[in-house]
Amino acid sequence: MKTLLLVEDEQSFADILLRRLSHYGYECLHGMSNEQGLALAQENQPTHMILDLKVGSENSLVILPQLRALLPKSRIILLTGYASIATAVEAIKLGADDYLSKPVDTKTLLAMLDGENKDMEVSDTSIMSPSRLEWEHIQQVLKSNDGNISVTARQLGMHRRTLQRKLLKKPTSE
């Protein structure tokens, strides 16, 4: 039996992902925080884990070494909307088997969970253009500020009007 632990604070995303993965034979568990994730891992000994990099105000990288020590044979995938080379390298050093950026398609995620990533071809759709990556980051910051453009602009270090113009120009996947 394949048991999967998802540590994700966004309930709607978690519901979709868990429903999708349960169709592929995973018995799914869900933790909304790092603390819940660790407790569920200790209690259930999952064979697979997906961790969101940013869970609330916490960073899941802090629990990676504990999870790897607790379950050395489990597959651990770090999934993030804030992809960067630095966090990818750090995640792998701390014990993650793979690192994926959101959004991710089911086929890619299943291949990573099964450990088939070494032979996978990178599809053109998985590579985001810099403008698309910037737009996705702006959306994440805007969401964390409940849609407040002024606060988001200050956090991103740009003028409010510049942010509004960028929001109007949604880039294609390219």
Side-chain angles (χ1 to χ4, degrees), residues 42-166:
Q42 290 171 340
E43 185 179 319
N44 297 286
Q45 305 285 301
T47 56
H48 299 78
M49 290 178 266
I50 299 173
L51 307 177
D52 186 16
L53 176 65
K54 192 173 181 212
V55 180
S57 61
E58 301 176 309
N59 186 321
S60 293
L61 292 177
V62 298
I63 64 169
L64 260 173
Q66 294 167 284
L67 290 171
R68 181 51 65 205
L70 177 67
L71 301 162
K73 294 183 180 176
S74 292
R75 297 266 318 146
I76 302 175
I77 311 285
L78 196 77
L79 189 61
T80 182
Y82 303 95
S84 74
I85 293 172
T87 55
V89 169
E90 188 176 358
I92 300 302
K93 283 183 180 178
L94 292 173
D97 293 299
D98 285 298
Y99 181 94
L100 291 170
S101 61
K102 293 178 185 175
V104 64
D105 63 280
T106 305
K107 181 181 173 186
T108 302
L109 186 56
L110 289 169
M112 294 291 180
L113 288 170
D114 291 337
E116 298 172 2
N117 61 322
K118 304 299 182 229
D119 301 322
M120 279 183 55
E121 292 179 24
V122 177
S123 67
D124 292 336
T125 58
S126 67
I127 300 171
M128 279 195 250
S129 68
S131 59
R132 176 67 184 200
L133 191 58
E134 178 190 40
W135 193 85
E136 294 286 340
H137 178 66
I138 289 170
Q139 291 299 315
Q140 288 285 339
V141 176
L142 187 62
K143 183 179 178 197
S144 72
N145 290 317
D146 297 322
N148 187 318
I149 290 185
S150 297
V151 173
T152 301
R154 277 194 297 276
Q155 282 185 351
L156 294 171
M158 67 176 68
H159 193 276
R160 182 180 51 80
R161 287 189 199 121
T162 303
L163 175 59
Q164 287 173 320
R165 279 192 296 274
K166 286 181 181 281

